[in-house]
Amino acid sequence: MTTGPRSDAPTLVEDLLLLLFQPASGTIAGENTLFYVLGGAVLADLALGDHLTTADRGRVGGVAGHPPSDDLLRPAWTYLAEKPRGVQTALAAIGPALREPVLERLVARGDIDEEPRKVLGLFRTTALREGRTERRSRLLADVRQVLVDGAQPQARVAALAALLSASGALPQFHREIPWTSEVITRAKALERGDWGADAAAAAVTRTVTASAVNSAIVAVTVLPRS
């Protein structure tokens, strides 16, 4: 599959999947419920670009006549531009198709490398390893500044940290982001949309991200047990 036109700057969903990638094991954290948080990142990115609006009963809709230019985000906007939808419904509709094209983007950008391997000397497979761009390290440093150092986040970093927390994967980052009570408190505040004064102008983004985060948390904590 190819992904079509993309923006020069990585999308928020690319940033999230890159952070969830675990270089030591070559795996992606939270695979079972990954599509919920990836879908949440798409909604947050649309909100950051003023492509979404909030409606009654907690629904979100696409802003008419204002589609995103990036083909990774456009299907979600098209779906929501038809009529406002509940966030849970939107995540279930747009999330499942995201993993493959987002991973392809990361490989194309050089953020993740694919390494051909043979299993038992016979079967060909592909292993993932960290690329040479060091972008994952920079993203992790941005999130660490907010969660560990208590820095006031920009809206994009706040959304990224909130979605990373909602994924349930934060404890896996203990070496870089110590799993302390202060970190947990800050992460939960970001999940609720409490982003501080520097992100005050991003009201729709906060609302959409908080709703997506709440839906993702339900999936992460409930679905694996059902």
Side-chain angles (χ1 to χ4, degrees):
M1 178 186 293
T2 56
T3 56
R6 72 184 188 201
S7 58
D8 291 335
T11 59
L12 187 63
V13 68
E14 290 172 68
D15 287 349
L16 180 61
L17 187 61
L18 181 56
L19 276 181
L20 289 172
F21 171 65
Q22 305 294 298
S25 62
T27 62
I28 295 171
E31 284 277 18
N32 290 341
T33 50
L34 183 64
F35 76 84
Y36 277 93
V37 289
L38 293 185
V42 167
L43 294 186
D45 218 344
L46 289 172
L48 281 167
D50 297 323
H51 302 292
L52 285 191
T53 184
T54 53
D56 59 345
R57 300 194 299 277
R59 296 177 300 164
V60 292
V63 175
H66 187 43
S69 59
D70 196 302
D71 277 3
L72 199 58
L73 306 178
R74 188 182 286 263
W77 175 85
T78 300
Y79 174 70
L80 294 170
E82 293 173 355
K83 66 176 182 180
R85 321 267 184 169
V87 170
Q88 185 95 28
T89 300
L91 295 182
I94 68 179
L98 287 170
R99 184 190 186 280
E100 182 180 351
V102 174
L103 182 57
E104 286 182 356
R105 287 276 185 97
L106 295 174
V107 171
R109 292 184 189 277
D111 298 323
I112 292 177
D113 286 340
E114 291 183 321
E115 186 176 85
R117 291 183 181 176
K118 283 187 177 182
V119 178
L120 302 176
L122 297 173
F123 305 105
R124 294 186 180 275
T125 185
T126 301
L128 301 178
R129 59 184 177 85
E130 190 168 8
R132 296 176 294 276
T133 65
E134 299 185 353
R135 191 162 70 83
R136 185 179 184 278
S137 296
R138 293 194 296 271
L139 290 171
L140 196 55
D142 289 342
V143 172
R144 177 188 167 88
Q145 282 187 337
V146 173
L147 293 180
V148 178
D149 302 333
Q152 287 291 316
Q154 296 179 344
R156 183 183 178 87
V157 178
L160 184 60
L163 288 160
L164 187 64
S165 178
S167 74
L170 264 181
Q172 298 185 39
F173 292 82
H174 181 72
R175 177 176 292 182
E176 300 92 351
I177 302 175
W179 189 238
T180 64
S181 59
E182 291 84 2
V183 166
I184 294 170
T185 298
R186 289 177 183 137
K188 293 302 178 185
L190 294 174
E191 288 179 10
R192 295 191 300 269
D194 182 7
W195 295 358
D198 289 353
V204 173
T205 304
R206 290 201 317 271
T207 300
V208 169
T209 303
S211 297
V213 161
N214 289 336
S215 296
I217 288 173
V218 170
V220 169
T221 58
V222 175
L223 291 186
R225 302 173 188 171
S226 61

